[in-house]
Amino acid sequence: MNSPYRSDKPLTFVLIHGSWADVHFWDGISAELRRMRHTVHALPYAGHDNDPNRRVTHAMIVQSVVDSIVRQGLSDIILVGHSFGGTIIQKTVEVIPERVKRLVFLNAFVLPDGQSAADQLPPAFVSAFEQLRAASPDDTIALPYPLFREAFANLGSKEQAEWLYRNTPVEPAGPLFEKLDLKKFYSLSIPRSYVYLMEDNVFPQTDEYSFHPRMSSRLGLYRLIQGSGDHMVTPRYEPGHVARLLFMGARD
Amino acid sequence: MNSPYRSDKPLTFVLIHGSWADVHFWDGISAELRRMRHTVHALPYAGHDNDPNRRVTHAMIVQSVVDSIVRQGLSDIILVGHSFGGTIIQKTVEVIPERVKRLVFLNAFVLPDGQSAADQLPPAFVSAFEQLRAASPDDTIALPYPLFREAFANLGSKEQAEWLYRNTPVEPAGPLFEKLDLKKFYSLSIPRSYVYLMEDNVFPQTDEYSFHPRMSSRLGLYRLIQGSGDHMVTPRYEPGHVARLLFMGARD
Amino acid sequence: MNSPYRSDKPLTFVLIHGSWADVHFWDGISAELRRMRHTVHALPYAGHDNDPNRRVTHAMIVQSVVDSIVRQGLSDIILVGHSFGGTIIQKTVEVIPERVKRLVFLNAFVLPDGQSAADQLPPAFVSAFEQLRAASPDDTIALPYPLFREAFANLGSKEQAEWLYRNTPVEPAGPLFEKLDLKKFYSLSIPRSYVYLMEDNVFPQTDEYSFHPRMSSRLGLYRLIQGSGDHMVTPRYEPGHVARLLFMGARD
């Protein structure tokens, strides 16, 4: 009853996955949040999940998320983005700010106005992605296993990393390279939190490139929540841990 | 008996709270340190606690701390400062170095010679503080709740953050903007430790502004102790955890 | 049986200690790794352990390690270096890359091509080392106790720090100041991991000087593993903890 992870007033979570992922990324975390009595909507979006359109644009992704939220009549939302999902919640909240109670970035991109996700990456990373994109028949990027294993799944066992990799979809390349107009985002004063899993190895953890403090510090006044974890294994294999951190980021 | 947190030789702790706080900040931590058999003095100081003087200066604060220590005949002191209390212990040890066994900075300012606490803050922070100061009838700064909740009390529940906020005094503004002569401090070789609660969100956690490693690295050779925690909730609601970290910073 | 720290396929660890240490640095960790059913070789090397040659060179150290590995016919090695041992595994793998399955750096130096370990240190550190070296009758450096206690053994009790210090050998100075040709190292694509004990206080934990992210980021694509710990006490007094982190860095 008095558990610090139960709130009297249940929250409404809307969860937006990142690249090389689908809504099943949230399966364990959703179940844990529901056990805490919250309402959870893990949203599929354009060009991902069941939509085969490889020519999807960032605007189409955002529109599909907005449509889902409006269609279901959701309000007072805790809008959570993981990884590339950070860029999606940045644009989504520009369209429906009145429905959003708080933004929660989970090891997520926070883009500056006028930049792309690719603009945030170290040069070696960008050129690798450009080569993978050019080599693809349908303008997608498939993560090579060594990159996935070392940088996205570093804390996992071989079995966990391989299982996750087998279930990793290719990613439409276009949106990763789109520069986004975020002037409205930076004019909004909706509360925001950054939940940081500290062993995330997708970026070098320097001031120059890190999720935290580099991306997080763009949020201005925000709430920091932190715990152990990597980019892909911890959210899938320790969902209770991540759900508790998300709740700490989400509560009033 | 052989607990690593019990020392055969009890220590004498002198605890100096920070801004927007009073001696009750240390209540839980003092009780825990006493249970470990140490002697603890949590000192009130000028312009704070029971002294209503809003025109207090940094020198008056330091003098009141020195007077307390001398009056009580304390020596071989572990002198601990939290937050702005770091600047107070920097100046106090200049006056009575012979009484101080070790300095312990707990998520505390370590000012360079000739600078003020305000000089350490990001520009947006400083201008917010200057506005709050100008708007005040008695040259104090009252922390706005959203700033307190997100940056000072980020790990707490709503109830914890609200309870702490209700008990948060306003802060006389003057000392925060005073530039301090710290030449003598930087000539002293008294041992020093930095105890860092890692989720402290008062500063952006960049090399440029952080408590650690920015402030801590000014100490030269020092002992680093680190654990989970934020600026205000953890010291009040997990006092045993913080007392153990302080002891690790304090012991020989 | 299904413990995440047991692998079906045992690994072969070769452990290379750092400066101011000998093979006993690995005693506890080796025992723990063997309990996990791995094969462990903690190697003594030239100018250290039972070799009294104070005029040892970096090349002689590396040759002695290579000779041990070849003589014992080891292959498919997890080659682990702690601290200065990082520079030794960087050069060792250049000579026998075909025997190395993965490199694991444990709070270890990763030198850029053409630099020395001393080149990585803050200026105050270097001049202190140069003075200690000049004052030595046999071109060695003995760590002063305050430096050892605060920077190398910060998490330990007084008894632990003193016991470790009593067992700390002096270090031949020469290799610390040798600039290494690492062009071949940077051409190799052998998998590598960085295991970082987060309270290591040997370096200031800034982007400029830190083991992580400064040293680690030179590894290009690498696996990050992280946990609580300092430079010398945690590996000796919490060997199970460090062995589990090493295994996480070593497994496929």
Side-chain angles (χ1 to χ4, degrees):
Chain A
M1 286 300 176
N2 277 319
S3 158
Y5 303 115
R6 292 262 167 104
S7 52
D8 295 334
K9 221 176 53 175
L11 300 168
T12 300
F13 284 89
V14 170
L15 308 176
I16 307 298
H17 66 77
S19 300
W20 300 287
D22 59 30
V23 287
H24 297 296
F25 175 83
W26 298 110
D27 285 353
I29 291 170
S30 297
E32 295 285 344
L33 289 171
R34 287 184 185 117
R35 291 207 311 162
M36 299 179 203
R37 310 205 182 154
H38 304 296
T39 301
V40 183
H41 301 264
L43 299 187
Y45 55 77
H48 297 72
D49 302 293
N50 291 321
D51 176 11
N53 179 11
R54 304 307 200 195
R55 298 288 166 181
V56 67
T57 64
H58 200 279
M60 290 163 67
I61 292 173
V62 171
Q63 191 59 49
S64 70
V65 168
V66 168
D67 288 348
S68 283
I69 291 170
V70 172
R71 191 184 326 115
Q72 299 179 70
L74 307 179
S75 61
D76 233 22
I77 293 168
I78 306 297
L79 185 57
V80 180
H82 177 249
S83 197
F84 187 71
T87 74
I88 302 172
I89 69 173
Q90 281 186 288
K91 290 300 293 180
T92 297
V93 72
E94 289 188 341
V95 185
I96 47 169
E98 71 286 356
R99 291 175 183 267
V100 179
K101 180 180 170 72
R102 181 179 285 265
L103 298 164
V104 178
F105 294 82
L106 171 64
N107 290 40
F109 284 85
V110 181
L111 296 184
D113 177 45
Q115 293 205 18
S116 71
D119 290 335
Q120 305 302 305
L121 304 175
F125 225 129
V126 178
S127 67
F129 277 3
E130 282 171 344
Q131 287 170 32
L132 291 164
R133 182 184 190 180
S136 144
D138 57 355
D139 201 30
T140 60
I141 297 175
L143 283 184
Y145 180 72
L147 175 63
F148 179 81
R149 203 279 177 267
E150 307 295 47
F152 288 68
N154 42 311
L155 297 189
S157 68
K158 179 171 181 285
E159 292 68 30
Q160 290 171 336
E162 288 179 348
W163 187 89
L164 287 174
Y165 188 70
R166 277 197 302 277
N167 289 281
T168 296
V170 298
E171 181 67 22
L176 301 175
F177 290 84
E178 278 186 63
K179 291 175 191 297
L180 302 183
D181 181 333
L182 288 159
K183 287 182 197 66
K184 181 163 178 192
F185 174 78
Y186 284 104
S187 76
L188 296 173
S189 58
I190 293 169
R192 68 280 314 265
S193 299
Y194 205 97
V195 177
Y196 183 53
L197 300 174
M198 296 173 67
E199 282 77 40
D200 193 308
N201 199 30
V202 170
F203 290 113
Q205 300 188 318
T206 58
D207 274 12
E208 194 177 359
Y209 289 116
S210 58
F211 279 124
H212 174 73
R214 174 71 163 177
M215 303 275 180
S216 57
S217 64
R218 293 177 180 141
L219 294 176
L221 178 63
Y222 75 99
R223 186 187 304 172
L224 173 67
I225 304 294
Q226 205 172 232
S228 181
D230 69 3
H231 199 70
M232 285 293 199
V233 175
T234 307
R236 299 300 296 266
Y237 287 93
E238 297 184 60
H241 169 59
V242 178
R244 283 188 294 276
L245 296 175
L246 288 178
F247 172 68
M248 292 175 75
R251 62 187 169 186
D252 282 348
Chain B
M1 286 300 175
N2 278 317
S3 158
Y5 303 115
R6 294 259 167 105
S7 52
D8 295 335
K9 220 176 53 174
L11 301 168
T12 300
F13 284 89
V14 170
L15 309 177
I16 307 297
H17 66 78
S19 301
W20 300 287
D22 58 30
V23 286
H24 296 296
F25 176 82
W26 299 109
D27 284 354
I29 291 170
S30 296
E32 295 285 343
L33 289 171
R34 289 185 184 117
R35 290 208 310 162
M36 298 179 203
R37 309 200 183 159
H38 304 297
T39 301
V40 183
H41 300 266
L43 299 187
Y45 55 77
H48 297 72
D49 302 296
N50 292 321
D51 176 11
N53 179 12
R54 305 304 200 198
R55 298 289 165 178
V56 69
T57 64
H58 200 280
M60 290 163 68
I61 292 173
V62 171
Q63 191 59 50
S64 69
V65 168
V66 168
D67 288 348
S68 283
I69 290 170
V70 172
R71 191 185 326 118
Q72 299 179 69
L74 307 179
S75 62
D76 233 23
I77 293 169
I78 306 297
L79 185 57
V80 181
H82 177 248
S83 197
F84 186 71
T87 74
I88 302 172
I89 70 173
Q90 281 186 289
K91 289 301 293 181
T92 297
V93 73
E94 289 188 341
V95 185
I96 47 168
E98 71 285 357
R99 291 176 183 267
V100 179
K101 181 181 170 69
R102 181 179 285 267
L103 298 164
V104 179
F105 294 82
L106 171 63
N107 290 40
F109 284 85
V110 180
L111 295 185
D113 177 46
Q115 292 205 17
S116 71
D119 289 337
Q120 305 302 304
L121 305 175
F125 226 130
V126 178
S127 66
F129 277 4
E130 282 170 343
Q131 288 170 31
L132 291 164
R133 182 184 189 180
S136 144
D138 58 354
D139 201 30
T140 59
I141 297 175
L143 283 185
Y145 181 72
L147 176 62
F148 180 81
R149 203 282 177 265
E150 306 296 47
F152 288 67
N154 42 311
L155 297 190
S157 68
K158 180 172 180 286
E159 291 69 30
Q160 290 171 334
E162 287 179 347
W163 187 88
L164 287 173
Y165 188 70
R166 277 197 301 278
N167 289 280
T168 296
V170 297
E171 180 67 22
L176 301 175
F177 290 85
E178 277 185 63
K179 291 175 190 296
L180 302 182
D181 182 332
L182 289 159
K183 286 182 198 67
K184 180 162 179 192
F185 174 80
Y186 284 104
S187 76
L188 297 172
S189 59
I190 292 169
R192 67 281 314 266
S193 299
Y194 206 96
V195 176
Y196 184 52
L197 300 175
M198 297 173 68
E199 281 77 39
D200 194 308
N201 199 30
V202 169
F203 289 112
Q205 300 188 318
T206 58
D207 274 13
E208 194 178 357
Y209 289 115
S210 57
F211 279 124
H212 174 72
R214 174 72 163 175
M215 303 275 180
S216 57
S217 64
R218 293 178 181 141
L219 294 175
L221 178 63
Y222 75 98
R223 186 187 303 172
L224 173 66
I225 304 294
Q226 204 171 235
S228 181
D230 68 4
H231 199 70
M232 284 292 198
V233 175
T234 307
R236 299 301 296 266
Y237 287 93
E238 297 183 62
H241 169 59
V242 178
R244 283 188 293 276
L245 296 174
L246 287 177
F247 173 68
M248 293 174 75
R251 63 186 169 187
D252 283 348
Chain C
M1 288 300 175
N2 277 318
S3 160
Y5 303 114
R6 294 261 167 102
S7 52
D8 295 335
K9 221 175 54 175
L11 300 168
T12 300
F13 284 89
V14 170
L15 308 177
I16 307 298
H17 66 79
S19 301
W20 300 287
D22 59 30
V23 285
H24 297 296
F25 175 83
W26 299 110
D27 284 354
I29 291 170
S30 296
E32 295 285 343
L33 288 171
R34 288 183 185 117
R35 289 207 312 162
M36 299 179 203
R37 310 203 182 156
H38 304 297
T39 301
V40 183
H41 301 265
L43 298 187
Y45 54 78
H48 297 70
D49 302 295
N50 293 321
D51 176 11
N53 179 10
R54 305 305 201 198
R55 298 288 166 180
V56 68
T57 64
H58 200 280
M60 290 162 67
I61 293 173
V62 170
Q63 191 59 50
S64 70
V65 168
V66 168
D67 287 348
S68 283
I69 291 170
V70 172
R71 191 185 324 117
Q72 299 179 69
L74 307 179
S75 61
D76 233 22
I77 294 169
I78 306 297
L79 185 57
V80 180
H82 177 248
S83 197
F84 186 72
T87 74
I88 302 172
I89 70 173
Q90 281 186 288
K91 289 301 294 181
T92 297
V93 73
E94 289 188 341
V95 185
I96 48 168
E98 70 285 356
R99 292 175 183 267
V100 179
K101 181 180 170 70
R102 180 179 286 267
L103 298 164
V104 178
F105 294 82
L106 171 63
N107 290 39
F109 284 84
V110 181
L111 296 184
D113 177 46
Q115 293 205 16
S116 70
D119 290 336
Q120 305 302 304
L121 304 175
F125 226 129
V126 178
S127 67
F129 278 3
E130 283 171 344
Q131 287 170 31
L132 292 164
R133 183 184 189 180
S136 144
D138 58 354
D139 201 29
T140 60
I141 297 175
L143 282 185
Y145 180 72
L147 176 63
F148 179 81
R149 201 282 177 265
E150 307 295 48
F152 288 68
N154 42 311
L155 296 190
S157 68
K158 179 171 180 286
E159 292 69 29
Q160 291 170 335
E162 287 178 347
W163 187 89
L164 287 173
Y165 188 70
R166 276 198 301 277
N167 289 280
T168 297
V170 299
E171 180 68 21
L176 301 175
F177 290 84
E178 278 186 63
K179 291 175 190 296
L180 302 183
D181 181 333
L182 289 159
K183 286 182 197 67
K184 181 163 179 193
F185 174 78
Y186 285 104
S187 76
L188 297 172
S189 58
I190 292 169
R192 68 280 314 266
S193 299
Y194 205 97
V195 176
Y196 183 52
L197 300 174
M198 298 173 68
E199 281 77 39
D200 193 308
N201 199 30
V202 170
F203 289 113
Q205 299 188 318
T206 58
D207 274 12
E208 195 177 358
Y209 289 115
S210 58
F211 279 124
H212 174 73
R214 174 71 162 178
M215 304 274 180
S216 57
S217 64
R218 293 178 181 140
L219 294 175
L221 178 63
Y222 75 98
R223 186 188 304 172
L224 172 66
I225 305 293
Q226 204 172 234
S228 181
D230 68 4
H231 199 70
M232 285 293 198
V233 175
T234 307
R236 299 300 297 265
Y237 287 92
E238 297 183 61
H241 169 60
V242 178
R244 283 188 292 276
L245 297 175
L246 288 177
F247 173 68
M248 292 175 76
R251 62 187 169 186
D252 282 348

